[in-house]
Amino acid sequence: ELARQYDVSSVYYHQEVTPEEVTVEEQVELALSKDGIVFTEFWGSTLIAKDDLPFNLINIPEVFTKFRKSVEQHVSY
């Protein structure tokens, strides 16, 4: 209702990761895309984007120190 009331043409949002939040995103996008509203998502939930990690998410170190040392080698300050 708000999108129609304010003649919204685009929605920009931070991408979520949990199944419940992703489901809500999909439902909102499905409902509003019928009105021609364009959706653009951004990754902003972590300090380092998942695509910038030096390993695949399935290979993420279980111990933080190992994770930190691996990431520090690939990050410029």
Side-chain angles (χ1 to χ4, degrees):
E1 291 175 20
L2 287 173
R4 290 182 193 101
Q5 179 180 346
Y6 291 102
D7 197 27
V8 171
S9 60
S10 300
V11 173
Y12 298 85
Y13 65 98
H14 276 149
Q15 181 183 13
E16 296 295 342
V17 293
T18 66
E20 296 84 3
E21 294 167 326
V22 171
T23 298
V24 171
E25 288 175 353
E26 291 169 351
Q27 291 172 343
V28 170
E29 184 170 354
L30 180 63
L32 294 180
S33 64
K34 295 174 184 174
D35 292 329
I37 296 174
V38 178
F39 284 75
T40 303
E41 62 186 27
F42 297 95
W43 184 256
S45 298
T46 58
L47 185 59
I48 299 172
K50 59 186 175 186
D51 294 335
D52 293 337
L53 291 172
F55 39 75
N56 293 327
L57 290 179
I58 60 172
N59 298 324
I60 195 166
E62 293 183 22
V63 177
F64 177 72
T65 302
K66 187 174 181 182
F67 170 85
R68 178 184 54 80
K69 288 180 179 181
S70 178
V71 170
E72 284 178 339
Q73 294 175 12
H74 295 89
V75 175
S76 60
Y77 298 97

